[in-house]
Structures are given as C-alpha cells and as structure tokens.
Amino acid sequence: MNALTLRRIAAQDNPTIALVIRQVSAEYGLTADKGYTVADPNLDELFQLYSQPGHAYWVLEQNGEVVGGGGIAPLQCSETDICELQKMYFLPVVRGKGMAKKLALMAMEHAREQGFKRCYLETTAFLTEAIALYEHLGFEHIDGPLGCTGHVDCEVRMLKAL
C-alpha cells in the first residue's frame, strides 16, 4: 500500500522537508551559490515561515514519511494581490502520480481564499516536467522577474490569474 497524503506542515516536519529539498536540489544541480532554494536561510524553519499570515505549506506523505511539499506566500516587494508558488519539491518515488498538480491546485485555491488575484512562480529551464505542469495549470511565461525573490538563476518566470 502506497498511501499518499497531503497535509499542512507541522513543526516536526522541518528537518525532513529540508532534507527532501536538499536531496532534490542536489539531484538537479540546484546549488546554493546560484540563489536556489537551498540558499534560503529559512530552509530549516519552514513551519515557522509558513505560519505567518498569507503563507501556507503542505507536505506530501507516503506511508507516514514526508516525500515532498510545496507552498504559497505573498510575493515580497510586489503588489499585495500577488502570491508566489514556492518550494515545490518531490522525491523521485512520488513523481508522476499527480500530487504536484494536486498540491499546486490546493495552494492556488488557498491563495484565492486569502484574497490574492495572481500567482507568480520562478523556476529554471531544465526542470522541464515542472514547467510542463505549470503550463498545463494555466501559468503563462512572462519576460522579467516580479518582486525580490533573490533567485538570480531562475530564468523561467510565470504568472497566472487566480
């Protein structure tokens, strides 16, 4: 039985989801020196970060073990109606099962309920599966960055009306 469950992050998930993000980042060569998520000073405190107003993060569990996650937060240094889809990382064992789509849809519904009108994201060109998912969900490519994410090597920027 491979039971997959999405739930809101809890404090005890911090070390496990940080490890998942680091493992997936290493798999794709997303290094801290290039401004990717692994450089985020809050990586080991995601529960605290996503407990703030307007923020939310979900973890994906398989048989009780955290194997992925993703979240939503207000886009820093931008108009107040824009949120950002953030930190979508999944271990290989759960990829291709539709859970990233399910999580992204949950996150965007949550964002709508919080009053956000648009959802922004940044990624990198070699994450082709992720880009295909975002395009399928209705995100459109935009020319330049929004906000001040600090992700200098995330050259793919997308925006969707909620």
Side-chain angles (χ1 to χ4, degrees):
M1 177 73 183
N2 276 340
L4 292 171
T5 310
L6 278 170
R7 62 169 175 78
R8 292 289 285 268
I9 192 170
Q12 64 267 24
D13 297 321
N14 278 346
T16 316
I17 191 61
L19 181 61
V20 167
I21 292 170
R22 287 184 174 104
Q23 285 178 311
V24 174
S25 296
E27 175 187 350
Y28 286 98
L30 306 175
T31 56
D33 62 311
K34 294 183 178 160
Y36 292 110
T37 295
V38 289
D40 188 332
N42 299 310
L43 188 57
D44 293 299
E45 299 174 349
L46 293 187
F47 170 75
Q48 291 82 350
L49 176 66
Y50 287 97
S51 294
Q52 298 176 56
H55 296 62
Y57 196 88
W58 294 265
V59 292
L60 175 62
E61 282 185 329
Q62 183 176 44
N63 302 322
E65 287 191 39
V66 174
V67 292
I72 202 99
L75 180 61
Q76 298 300 308
C77 311
S78 76
E79 299 155 56
T80 57
D81 72 333
I82 304 176
C83 64
E84 183 182 14
L85 188 62
Q86 300 178 332
K87 296 179 179 58
M88 295 275 291
Y89 290 86
F90 299 88
L91 292 178
V93 67
V94 290
R95 291 183 200 149
K97 299 184 186 314
M99 297 309 291
K101 177 181 178 182
K102 186 174 181 179
L103 195 157
L105 289 170
M106 279 177 49
M108 288 186 290
E109 180 58 31
H110 178 80
R112 267 191 292 280
E113 291 168 1
Q114 299 293 310
F116 292 107
K117 303 291 185 218
R118 294 176 285 169
C119 187
Y120 174 73
L121 65 84
E122 294 177 334
T123 188
T124 189
F126 52 86
L127 296 180
T128 54
E129 299 96 336
I131 293 169
L133 168 66
Y134 301 140
E135 290 171 344
H136 175 76
L137 292 173
F139 281 87
E140 295 179 1
H141 293 264
I142 59 174
D143 290 334
L146 298 178
C148 55
T149 64
H151 299 156
V152 293
D153 278 22
C154 289
E155 75 285 2
V156 177
R157 295 139 182 144
M158 303 176 87
L159 189 65
K160 173 183 170 61
L162 295 176

